[in-house]
């Protein structure tokens, strides 16, 4: 059964349509990659699922219940959590406070102490930096905090928007390892990435978005071997 | 105009008053006094020489802002076609708006604005009922001189404390001249912003200088704050004398309580004056609006009678004729005009600058009369409340 | 006939008709009160247009422009009363002083961002007011302290001394001043300084990286804006013949200029004019007709109008109005506006 | 000059500065969180004062007992104000960091509140005699007016509570998060507009507290807010917009300047000194004394 | 003598030494790369050169002239144009307007500025989007606009801060071609990039910094095979191009 199902949605910025009748689904426990060119509409899709913008038509179901009419915070309550593009940490709060705010929703808040321990275990570096202001962290550390913060919300599905953007090669590896660990612990992951090689190889399935339309769908392995993908996204 | 045969049924009088903004409170009291007087005159048959025409007041709000006042005057003259304007309480508004009236040659009766210069510009159409502000300071010093002689108190030093507006600074100038004339030493000359949120620093300064006499010019709010702060900071002087305005405001007594006891104030009018019509009128006013008549309301009240009288004699609504009638005004106590019978002086008559030459002033002291704080007239002695005498120096 | 020319013709005809109307208004309106309201409308449009040079184009929000109106009024008046200098000359001196003061204040404050700038300029404006209220005399010059200055009346219509009994000359003077101010803003928006100002207002760091000395351009805009504002100050003094600090240097005045711009459409050329045309009559007429009913009611209504406009048209009224005008043209000509 | 006088002036300055600071505190909180200059702040203070006035007048309560009514009332009032009037404009300007246009709304609210009060209560000045009015506490020869002294204590307590609330409670953290990045806060499940409502409500409640503090020694009238408005703006900019210690220190500085300088020069000029000091600080520290430069 | 001499530049933020005694010298016509882990201080170094921050100590010599601590606009007028890691377009303005702000540097005539801007837009394949608001561009186009705008000032040196981050591989290739073309037109390029495939293929020389300090500099090959670089930055050996 699909955990998240997107049915035929259209999205607009003002009068400009950027998503055209996109349908996709994510099953419980899966890791899904969403890849596509710049401006294809990947971030827009995630923003729509998170409720930051409304689809003009179509519907989004989570556990078979429509969520596209809900406000962002209500969607978070359901367990749909996004790690936004560009980290978006609360710059003048400490690492720990950032994590605590992550657990704001009423599902996660009662388990705050417990979740915090789990997150520290997953990302030990955050515990070391507990009391540092987020703004003083390096880019990689900031990305870790962003992921940790999302984990604090006890996601049913974790959506990540380009977690590797602008990171040094050594950190990119670390981030993907972390994502793999999260998935292995049973969290469903929807991953938007430019680094197609890394992301597809750890994904169960993938979708390719072009100009606001899904043009290809398949298992991670199939897509990696697809010659069009190879040419367009791997530069081979 | 249409004033010939039957005469107009209504005569429009323009009133410019601060109905919003910082001086709205007094503006409203003036409006009420004008309305009451108009009602009485109309009830008594209106302007008989014009076929019993009724007076109709058109009120416009000046916000206490001269620009607005100017526009208001133009609007009253051109759109409302009033035959006469009355106003504007704030000297700053009266000043430019009388200028407009002068240009259009429409008479302008000024009940209260006290700035000297209003009637000192050679205007033909401006008439003022209240005393000029220089006359007020005269009384303050006259009083001091007399008390010095009477009680043998030594008075050498003075402090001037006043709001830094038009009015306060004008008064301070007069004080300086008179202090020099009578040989007092001015130990403190302190203007303060009338919107001050805290007057403790000013009071501290008074306390340091230890003046014999403190002369005050304040608006209502700052008068209250100043008096209460002086009490808190234990400031003492032989005499503290206000200059009407805030000290005359009923709110002052109500809100300072015991703290204002024995303070003096100069005022154009007081309820305890020995005029038989006052109690009834005051009772009526109080019942209607909830507070006592004040000097300024009385001036406004009287002004309507002056206007009605001029119209009566002009037998016309032609502004020029009204002006001439106004210039020839001679209204005295005892002619059966309620508005005149309640005045503290005997007649209203304009000199050639348009200033009411008889306008008089009295000095009151705040006294505890059977448990309530009252303003008791103590000077000039001939109009003093029977059985009362100034307590000087303040205990 | 090529497409769109019909639309263009109608557009031109309407605009010319409007211009003719504006320039012949004094012939139709005989009532000086209405003339006075019109003159004030134009004056506010002029002052706001000047304000808009910094407030709109440089992307900051000055809330102390009454200081420069005051500088203009005080300078020309003091020069006239003390030395008999015609206000026509004095206004340039006032404008020059305002520009210098604006520059001195602008250099530090224009580096500040958003609210800091707004509140600092506001504090500066208040400071100037306090200064004026505490200065009664400087040497031979009467400043008047809190009582302000009353200009001596000159009999009749006197062009040389900038004083008229009739409202018509005032109307044409301010109309011409407004036209010049509009031309200046329009011109600036199309040349390099205009581009630099807008760029600096939006993304100062990016603009600087492209060779724009952002603060310099902002200070220039400030100086020019203050210069023009002060000219308006002299006009105001000559029109009302009386001014004093609480009014001409008041906070309300500064606020009103900013409101007119924001309600009209900040940073647009027509915005200040539209704002003044709409807001001034509203505040005048509600005052005239409502203040005697219930004191304060007109300001409640004025406040409510401000809020409603902002809730429904947060970017000002220029946008919906120009859209409306386009639609009207479409309807009249039966042609669609060409998309550029 | 007498040392005693100076010391008394310092005492007065600090006591006065404390309620200035408290008045500025609500303003700085609202700006810090919503990035809106609340020009209606003085009017909220006025509403608080009138409420306290009527409570004391009608029931004869201790003025500080009025806090029990004033604080929740003003909180709800501020909450609604933000929710109904400011929110729509904020939504329209979602991408703007400091939506300056909102000042029109807050100024509109200012006009409306002040003039509604005028229509309801008239323009007269009202003072109510409370159980602490005019009372003093002497320490040696130095006078501590009790109402101001209590005001000082209330300021300290309020600031402490506010800091504690923002730092340690769930809602406090949410408020700070939303002030730093509203979209990201949404993604954490924080309803940003509710958070704004609450922050605005708290700011209004603090204005109400100032109202209660002022009632024993100051008078109420519809435009009383204007007296404090400009002062509050100077204080918050001086201290650094959005900074809590900034508001308190700024208040103390202004109070001290007014009180001490007035002993040497005319008090109308002290006002000017306040402006000069203010501009001087901005020249040296454009972000104010406690402002976070990188944040603004 | 080198065109740009960066001599012992340091930049401290409070106690943080974001850049610590870094020296780099860049020859005319070179494409010079700067790499290092996140937070190593690369952007800060750029900002010191471009005048956004005054360096705490050290010197920047350009073409024999000491430009240390110059204001950004003066640096730009001197011929060094830069792009920002986080692109900063004038969002509410059209693409053409954005570029015209750049081209106004060399001319004050609006129509000439317009013509020059259009030419630059053509070069960067943005000509057909000239009338779009910059805020509505895709990330890739914004990055391109950022470069176009800088190029409109007709600089001698171009400083590129992660101009390819977030681009697809084939877009990266396009940008690389553009960069080579720019270099071939005589412009010296100094660039920061995390995409190894890009920086390793296009750079003539690379400096690596970590914790604000320079670890090494050398040719791409030397860098790619350096143990310290692999450990600190690459994580694994990058198959030397
Ligand atoms: N706030 C906005 N207003 C108008 N248009 C926008 C806005 N944000 C994005 N767009 C447009 O919507 C389209 C899709 O953008 P989106 O950010 O979803 O793409 P993306 O696939 O995430 O790209 P990237 O890889 O660059 O992050 C683009 O054409 C973009 O220009
Ligand atoms: N204005 C500033 N104030 C305080 N610290 C700063 C400032 N700018 C940068 N830093 C700090 O300086 C260090 C270097 O930052 P810089 O942006 O130069 O890194 P970078 O090498 O460009 O990293 P990335 O590859 O992630 O862009 C970081 O720790 C950063 O937090
Ligand atoms: Mg994206
Ligand atoms: Mg960087």
């Amino acid at each position: 059964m699909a955990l998240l199902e997107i049915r035929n949605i259209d999205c607009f910025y003002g009068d400009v349509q950027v998503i055209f009748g996109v349908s996709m689904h994510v099953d419980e426990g899966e890791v899904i990659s969403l890849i596509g060119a710049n401006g294809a509409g990947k971030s827009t899709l995630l923003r729509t699922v998170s409720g930051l913008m409304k689809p003009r038509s179509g519907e989004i179901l989570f556990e078979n219940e429509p969520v596209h009419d809900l406000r962002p915070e209500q969607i978070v309550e359901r367990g749909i959590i996004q790690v936004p593009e560009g980290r978006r940490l609360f710059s003048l709060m400490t690492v720990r406070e950032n994590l605590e705010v992550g657990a704001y929703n009423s599902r996660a808040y009662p388990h705050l102490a417990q979740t915090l321990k789990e997150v520290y275990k997953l990302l030990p570096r955050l515990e070391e930096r507990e009391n540092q202001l987020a703004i003083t962290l390096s880019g990689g550390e900031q990305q870790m905090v962003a992921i940790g913060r999302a984990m604090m919300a006890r996601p049913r599905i974790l959506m990540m928007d380009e977690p590797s953007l602008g990171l040094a090669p050594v950190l990119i590896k670390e981030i993907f390892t972390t994502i793999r660990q999260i998935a292995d612990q049973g969290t469903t992951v929807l991953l938007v990435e430019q680094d197609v090689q890394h992301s597809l190889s750890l994904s169960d399935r993938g979708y390719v978005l072009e100009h606001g339309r899904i043009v290809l769908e398949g298992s991670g392995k199939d897509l990696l071997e697809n010659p069009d993908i190879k040419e367009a996204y791997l530069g081979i | 105009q249409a004033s010939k045969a039957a005469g107009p049924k209504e005569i429009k009088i323009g009133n410019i008053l601060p109905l919003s903004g910082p001086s709205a409170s007094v503006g409203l009291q003036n409006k009420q006094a004008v309305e009451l007087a108009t009602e009485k005159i109309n009830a008594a048959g209106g302007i008989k020489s014009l076929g019993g025409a009724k007076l109709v007041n058109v009120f416009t709000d000046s916000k206490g802002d001269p620009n607005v006042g100017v526009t208001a005057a133009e609007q009253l003259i051109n759109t409302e076609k009033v035959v006469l304007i009355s106003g504007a309480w704030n000297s700053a508004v009266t000043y430019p708006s009388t200028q407009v009236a002068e240009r259009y040659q429409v008479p302008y009766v000024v009940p209260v604005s006290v700035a000297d210069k209003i009637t000192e510009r050679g205007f033909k159409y401006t008439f003022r009922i209240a005393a000029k502000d220089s006359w007020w300071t005269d009384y303050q010093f006259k009083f001091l001189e007399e008390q010095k002689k009477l009680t043998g108190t030594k008075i050498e030093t003075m402090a001037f404390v006043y709001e830094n507006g038009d009015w306060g600074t004008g008064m301070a100038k007069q004080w300086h001249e008179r202090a020099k004339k009578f040989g007092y030493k001015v130990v403190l000359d302190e203007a303060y912003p009338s919107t001050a949120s805290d007057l403790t620093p000013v009071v501290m300064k008074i306390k340091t200088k230890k003046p014999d006499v403190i002369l005050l010019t304040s608006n209502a709010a700052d008068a209250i704050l100043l008096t209460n702060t002086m009490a808190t900071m234990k400031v003492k002087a032989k005499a503290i004398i206000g200059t009407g305005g805030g000290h005359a405001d009923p709110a002052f007594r109500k809100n300072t309580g015991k703290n204002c006891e024995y303070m003096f104030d100069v005022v154009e009018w007081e309820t305890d004056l020995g005029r038989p019509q006052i109690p009834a009128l005051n009772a009526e006013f109080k019942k209607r609006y909830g507070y006592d008549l004040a000097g300024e309301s009385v001036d406004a009240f009287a002004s309507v009678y002056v206007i009605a009288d001029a119209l009566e004699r002009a037998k016309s609504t032609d502004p020029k004729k009204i002006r001439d009638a106004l210039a020839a005004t001679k209204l005295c106590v005892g002619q059966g005009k309620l508005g005149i019978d309640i005045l503290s002086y005997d007649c209203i008559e304009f000199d050639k600058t348009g200033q009411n030459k008889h306008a008089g002033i009295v000095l009151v002291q705040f006294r505890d009369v059977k448990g309530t704080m009252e303003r008791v007239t103590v000077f000039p002695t001939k109009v003093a409340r029977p059985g009362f005498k100034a307590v000087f120096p303040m205990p | 006939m090529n497409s769109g020319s019909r639309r263009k013709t109608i557009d031109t005809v309407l605009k010319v008709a409007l211009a003719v109307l504006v320039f012949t208004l004094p012939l139709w309106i005989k009532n000086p009160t209405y003339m006075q309201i019109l003159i004030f409308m134009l004056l506010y449009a002029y002052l706001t247009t000047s304000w808009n040079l910094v407030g709109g184009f440089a992307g900051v929000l000055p809330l102390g422009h009454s200081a420069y109106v005051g500088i203009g009024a005080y300078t020309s008046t003091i020069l006239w009363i003390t030395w008999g200098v015609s206000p026509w000359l004095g206004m340039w001196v006032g404008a020059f002083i305002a520009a210098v003061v604006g520059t001195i204040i602008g250099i530090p404050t224009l580096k500040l961002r958003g609210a800091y700038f707004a509140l600092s300029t506001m504090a500066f404006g208040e400071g100037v007011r306090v200064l004026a209220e505490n200065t009664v005399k400087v040497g031979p010059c009467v400043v008047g302290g809190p009582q302000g200055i009353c200009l001596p009346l000159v009999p009749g219509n006197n062009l040389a001394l900038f004083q008229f009994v009739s409202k018509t000359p005032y109307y044409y003077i301010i109309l011409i001043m407004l036209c010049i101010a509009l031309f200046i803003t329009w011109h600036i928006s199309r040349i390099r300084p205009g581009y630099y100002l807008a760029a600096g207002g939006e993304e100062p760091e990016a603009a600087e990286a492209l060779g724009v000395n952002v603060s310099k351009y902002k200070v220039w805009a400030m100086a020019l804006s203050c210069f023009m504002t002060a000219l308006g100050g002299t006009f105001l003094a000559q029109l009302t013949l009386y001014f004093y600090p609480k009014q001409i240097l008041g906070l309300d005045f500064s606020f009103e200029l900013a409101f007119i711009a924001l309600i009209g459409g900040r940073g647009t050329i027509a915005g200040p004019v539209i704002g003044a045309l709409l807001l001034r009559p509203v505040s005048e007429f509600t005052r005239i007709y409502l203040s005697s009913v219930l004191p304060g009611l007109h300001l409640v209504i004025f406040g409510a109008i401000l809020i409603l406009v902002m809730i429904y048209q947060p970017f000002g009224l220029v946008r919906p109005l120009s859209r409306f005008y386009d639609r009207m043209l479409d309807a009249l000509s039966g042609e669609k506006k060409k998309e550029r | 000059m007498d040392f005693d006088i100076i010391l008394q002036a310092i005492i007065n300055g600090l006591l006065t500065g404390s309620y200035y600071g408290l008045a500025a505190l609500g303003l700085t909180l609202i700006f810090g969180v919503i990035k809106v200059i609340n020009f209606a702040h003085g009017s909220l203070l006025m509403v608080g004062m009138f409420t306290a006035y009527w409570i004391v007048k009608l029931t004869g309560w201790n003025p500080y007992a009025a806090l029990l009514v004033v604080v929740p009332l003003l909180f709800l009032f501020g909450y609604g104000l933000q929710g109904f009037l400011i929110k729509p404009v904020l939504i329209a300007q979602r991408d703007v960091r400091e939506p300056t246009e909102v000042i029109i709304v807050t100024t509109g609210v200012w006009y409306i509140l002040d003039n509604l009060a005028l229509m309801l209560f008239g323009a007269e000045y009202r003072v109510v005699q409370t159980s602490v009015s005019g009372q003093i506490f002497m320490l040696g020869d130095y006078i501590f007016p009790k109402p101001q002294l209590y005001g000082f204590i209330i300021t300290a307590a309020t600031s402490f509570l506010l800091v504690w609330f923002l730092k340690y409670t769930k809602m406090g953290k949410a408020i700070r998060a939303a002030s730093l990045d509203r979209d990201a806060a949404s993604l954490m499940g924080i309803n940003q507009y509710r958070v704004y409502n609450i922050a605005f409500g708290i700011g209004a409640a603090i204005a109400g507290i100032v109202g209660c503090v002022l009632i024993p020694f100051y008078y109420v009238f519809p435009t009383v807010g204007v007296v404090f408005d400009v002062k509050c703006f100077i204080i918050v900019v001086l201290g650094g917009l959005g900074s809590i210690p900034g508001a308190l220190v700024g208040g103390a500085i202004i109070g001290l300047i007014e009180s001490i300088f007035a002993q040497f020069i005319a008090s109308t000029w002290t006002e000017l000194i306040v402006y000069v000091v203010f501009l001087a600080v901005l020249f040296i520290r454009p972000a104010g004394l406690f402002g976070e430069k990188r944040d603004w | 003598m080198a065109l740009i001499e960066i001599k012992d530049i340091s930049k401290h933020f409070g106690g943080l030494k974001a850049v610590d005694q870094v020296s780099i010298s860049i020859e005319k016509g070179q494409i010079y790369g700067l790499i290092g882990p996140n937070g190593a201080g690369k952007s800060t170094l750029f900002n010191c050169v471009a005048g956004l921050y005054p360096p705490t100590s050290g010197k920047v010599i350009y073409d024999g002239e000491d430009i240390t601590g110059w204001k950004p606009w003066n640096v730009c007028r001197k011929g060094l144009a830069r792009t920002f890691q986080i692109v900063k377009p004038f969002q509410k303005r059209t693409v053409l307007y954005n570029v015209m702000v750049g081209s106004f540097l060399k001319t004050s005539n609006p129509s000439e500025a317009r013509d020059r801007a259009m030419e630059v837009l053509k070069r960067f394949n943005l000509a057909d989007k000239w009338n779009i608001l910059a805020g509505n561009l895709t990330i890739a186009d914004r990055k391109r606009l950022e470069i176009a705008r800088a190029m409109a000032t007709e600089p001698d040196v171009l400083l590129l801060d992660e101009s390819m981050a977030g681009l697809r591989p084939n877009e990266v290739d396009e940008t690389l071609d553009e960069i080579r073309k720019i270099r071939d037109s005589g412009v010296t390029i100094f660039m920061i990039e995390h995409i190894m495939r890009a920086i390793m293929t296009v750079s003539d020389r690379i400096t690596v910094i970590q914790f604000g300090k320079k670890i090494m500099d050398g040719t791409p090959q030397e860098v790619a095979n350096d143990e310290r670089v692999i450990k600190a930055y690459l994580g694994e050996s990058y198959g030397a191009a």
Side-chain angles (χ1 to χ4, degrees), chain A residues 43 85 161-162:
Chain A
S43 301
E85 196 169 0
D161 199 352
E162 309 208 21

Side-chain angles (χ1 to χ4, degrees), chain E residues 39 41-44 85 161-162 192 194:
Chain E
K42 305 180 293 295
S43 300
T44 307
Q85 179 173 2
D161 194 348
E162 296 201 32
I192 297 176
H194 282 305

Side-chain angles (χ1 to χ4, degrees), chain B residues 81-101:
Chain B
K81 307 275 185 224
V82 300
V83 299
L84 182 146
I85 295 180
S86 172
W89 199 81
N90 313 72
S91 287
V93 180
T94 310
Y95 203 46
S97 57
T98 45
Q99 198 161 300
V100 174

Side-chain angles (χ1 to χ4, degrees), chain A residues 4 9-10 15 21 33 63 69 72 79 86 91 108 120 147 158 198 206 208 212 224:
Chain A
L4 176 74
I9 61 167
D10 290 324
D15 295 334
S33 273
E63 298 182 306
D69 281 334
S91 53
Y120 279 157
I147 294 174
L158 182 64
H198 274 109
V208 180
L224 260 180

Side-chain angles (χ1 to χ4, degrees), chain A residues 59-234:
Chain A
E59 50 186 7
I60 300 170
L61 304 177
F62 185 69
E63 298 182 306
N64 288 328
E65 280 175 41
V67 293
H68 51 268
D69 281 334
L70 301 183
R71 288 194 307 272
E73 62 276 5
Q74 293 170 318
I75 291 173
V76 171
E77 288 287 332
R78 302 288 173 99
I80 305 179
I81 310 295
Q82 185 186 155
V83 181
E85 196 169 0
R87 298 151 206 166
R88 310 289 290 263
L89 297 187
F90 303 119
S91 53
L92 296 178
M93 296 169 82
T94 63
V95 169
R96 171 138 186 185
E97 285 172 337
N98 266 280
L99 295 176
E100 285 170 350
V101 170
Y104 180 85
N105 72 72
S106 62
R107 252 178 348 96
Y109 200 74
H111 313 286
L112 194 147
Q114 174 62 27
T115 330
L116 192 63
K117 260 189 221 141
E118 288 168 22
V119 168
Y120 279 157
K121 207 165 130 213
L122 181 71
L123 303 161
R125 202 146 10 137
L126 299 190
E127 192 164 12
E128 289 165 29
R129 307 262 162 161
E130 207 176 52
N131 293 319
Q132 209 169 325
L133 288 187
I135 196 173
T136 63
L137 296 175
S138 82
E141 286 159 355
Q142 289 193 4
Q143 191 63 58
M144 300 277 182
V145 177
I147 294 174
R149 188 177 63 174
M151 291 305 291
M152 289 299 293
R154 300 195 146 235
R156 303 284 318 277
I157 176 167
L158 182 64
M159 307 190 293
M160 289 193 249
D161 199 352
E162 309 208 21
S164 76
L165 184 74
L167 292 190
V170 62
L171 287 172
I172 294 180
K173 276 188 62 181
E174 223 178 299
I175 291 287
F176 280 108
T177 315
T178 310
I179 295 172
R180 189 64 255 174
Q181 282 172 345
I182 290 170
D184 291 344
Q185 287 171 7
T187 307
T188 311
V189 174
L190 175 57
L191 185 60
V192 166
E193 252 307 332
Q194 291 288 344
D195 193 325
V196 172
Q197 177 80 49
H198 274 109
S199 64
L200 280 181
S201 55
L202 64 76
S203 298
D204 299 313
R205 282 189 302 122
Y207 290 91
V208 180
L209 194 64
E210 290 276 352
H211 301 299
R213 295 182 172 85
I214 300 276
V215 292
L216 216 56
E217 180 196 340
S219 76
K221 232 172 101 204
D222 289 351
L223 285 178
L224 260 180
E225 278 157 14
N226 182 311
D228 292 344
I229 302 271
K230 273 189 175 162
E231 201 207 310
Y233 295 98
L234 296 172

